[in-house]
Amino acid sequence: MQATIGGRTGASGIALLVLLIGQALSNIDLAIVNLAAPAVSADLDVSSSELTLMVTAYALCSAVFIAPAARLGEHHGVRRVYLWGLALFTLASLACGLANSSPVLIVSRCLQGAAASLMITQVLVGIHRWFTGPDRARALGWNAVTLSGGAALGQVLGGTIVSADILGTGWRAVFLLNVPIGALVLLLGVAMLPHDRPTGTETGTRAGTGAGTPTGAGTSRGGNDIRGTVLLAAATLAVLIPLSLTRPDWIWLLLLAAVPLAAQLVRTERRVIARGGKPALDLRPLGAPPVRWALASYAGTTLTYIAMLYLLSLHLQGVLKLPAWQAGLVPLGWVLAFGLAGPVIGRVPQAVARLLPFVGCVLLTAAYGLAPVVPAGADTGIWPLTAVLCVGGFGLGLTHTSLLNVLTTAVPPRYAATLSGTVNTLSTVVGVTGVALFGAAYAWLGRSAWAGPPAAWSYICAGLALVTALCALAALRAVATAPDPADPADAAAATDSAAAVFNRKERPVDTTPTAD
């Protein structure tokens, strides 16, 4: 039996807070180091390649370990794995803050990234399992604002903390402040997170799997999917390393290697499923139409958001000549507007809620289209651009929160780890891809004689608007094919129905090699 916390408002609120603080710590730490990098370089006298690796090692290790970390939650329980990750993250932050050389700092950053994957994968799984109906919608709303706000808050805090030189620690305070926060949240987690039983140890039957089917049968027959785990990590790194480092030139060959690695991963996972094993990446629930379309829309909007945060900083400081502290405050309007989406979704009628992913994408597209048009600058003021960003942030909040509602309704709870691993891995990969592609385009346009920096900003915003317009179409397809319960109390029935659809699809995949 899985733990249920929805019946106790105080306990559920504190448990959700514990989960979201871990999510926030991981997101803030991803962004905050970018602004601390110059101080690190001056203090430790590191080379440019080492500095780049220090910044990217966190994201790379986090991306590689996301899928295995999600599976650990299945085998050992959400509570236990989350607390493991939080403890390791706190210790790794202490090691980063005390590092006296670049190799020690890089290794510590790798440990931070691995620990972050243990935490963030359990957040969505915990929400999926422990909350239902309107409580789940509200929890997903707060999770969405945490995802968005962490990166922006990291940008604001990075320069502020380094400039403040807290107790003479300089850049080290960026990491050392995680230690007391992590310790406090760890104590709260031990006291407040519900004890859940690992799904791999359950006995009896699962809803939707058929009577008499042991829940642990797949594990006992198939064992651990080590080959699939290695292939998944290799394919992820083959995509992320060239996009993150760009040097030396030969690493771009890894992008070509990613295609056969991904193909072999799919073949391997199908064979593991066919023999009753537990695949590293279970592709079965991802084949349902609402899941495919929702993930496509989620990935596209995430790509544009991460790219916008990166390029906005360059535009505000490089073209509009704003000071760093003011440029860091501009995205806060986006984050605050993002936070309004969760309460809105929890209060609208079901018929209206189904249109929110599309409405959110339309608002986001409008914001990208207006961003290069409104007046902005040190002389004319920044409030028009800030207002436009608020519209975009609200639209992104509507889209992401409602799409996660679609996903958690369409995917049975027994696939919660698969969903969490997929969403988090996808967010990391498309985020890095968006920064690499749009960042390169912005730099090229800015250097060209026929465009220049102001025109480059306009072209990039137009490209972002085009992507989100396509995401709006995908969002429409997602809600058109998603389960449509009469009211939130019928969510469990919709989940059982989705599980039955997945089970019908699994049989030909497991027994017929040529099935798709």
Side-chain angles (χ1 to χ4, degrees), residues 152-361:
L153 189 58
Q155 288 185 323
V156 175
L157 290 177
T160 303
I161 292 175
V162 173
S163 300
D165 192 20
I166 301 173
L167 299 178
T169 56
W171 62 267
R172 298 179 187 274
V174 166
F175 300 108
L176 293 177
L177 286 177
N178 289 334
V179 178
I181 296 173
L184 177 60
V185 177
L186 188 61
L187 292 176
L188 280 175
V190 170
M192 296 299 179
L193 286 182
H195 293 269
D196 57 331
R197 181 179 298 177
T199 57
T201 62
E202 292 177 12
T203 57
T205 60
R206 277 193 181 126
T209 58
T213 304
T215 60
T219 305
S220 61
R221 292 203 308 268
N224 294 323
D225 182 19
I226 297 177
R227 184 178 182 185
T229 301
V230 172
L231 283 171
L232 179 59
T236 304
L237 286 176
V239 173
L240 291 182
I241 288 178
L243 297 177
S244 301
L245 301 181
T246 72
R247 293 289 186 275
D249 293 337
W250 60 262
I251 65 173
W252 289 97
L253 296 175
L254 290 176
L255 279 177
L256 298 177
V259 177
L261 285 171
Q264 183 58 41
L265 172 64
V266 172
R267 288 193 292 267
T268 298
E269 300 307 76
R270 285 180 174 174
R271 286 196 292 267
V272 171
I273 293 171
R275 66 172 183 261
K278 298 284 284 186
L281 179 63
D282 198 332
L283 303 174
R284 289 170 290 185
L286 307 183
V291 178
R292 288 200 310 265
W293 289 112
L295 286 176
S297 184
Y298 190 92
T301 50
T302 299
L303 182 149
T304 62
Y305 157 64
I306 300 297
M308 169 59 89
L309 273 187
Y310 171 71
L311 296 171
L312 182 64
S313 176
L314 298 180
H315 177 68
L316 292 175
Q317 297 182 67
V319 178
L320 301 185
K321 305 303 180 183
L322 297 181
W325 67 268
Q326 190 175 2
L329 291 176
V330 171
L332 288 183
W334 178 293
V335 176
L336 294 175
F338 196 111
L340 298 175
V344 168
I345 291 177
R347 288 171 171 78
V348 298
Q350 184 67 29
V352 177
R354 291 180 63 82
L355 296 176
L356 291 182
F358 174 75
V359 173
C361 286

Side-chain angles (χ1 to χ4, degrees), residues 27-54:
N27 282 18
I28 289 172
D29 223 68
L30 181 63
I32 201 171
V33 177
N34 293 326
L35 294 174
V40 174
S41 178
D43 186 26
L44 298 183
D45 192 24
V46 299
S47 65
S48 59
S49 60
E50 289 176 326
L51 191 65
T52 301
L53 188 57
M54 185 271 294

Side-chain angles (χ1 to χ4, degrees), residues 19-30 120 146-147 150-151 153:
L19 292 177
L20 295 185
I21 290 177
Q23 179 77 71
L25 285 175
S26 65
N27 282 18
I28 289 172
D29 223 68
L30 181 63
I120 63 178
T146 303
L147 289 170
L153 189 58

Side-chain angles (χ1 to χ4, degrees), residues 406-421:
V406 171
L407 289 169
T408 53
T409 300
V411 175
R414 64 191 179 101
Y415 290 116
T418 294
L419 178 62
S420 176

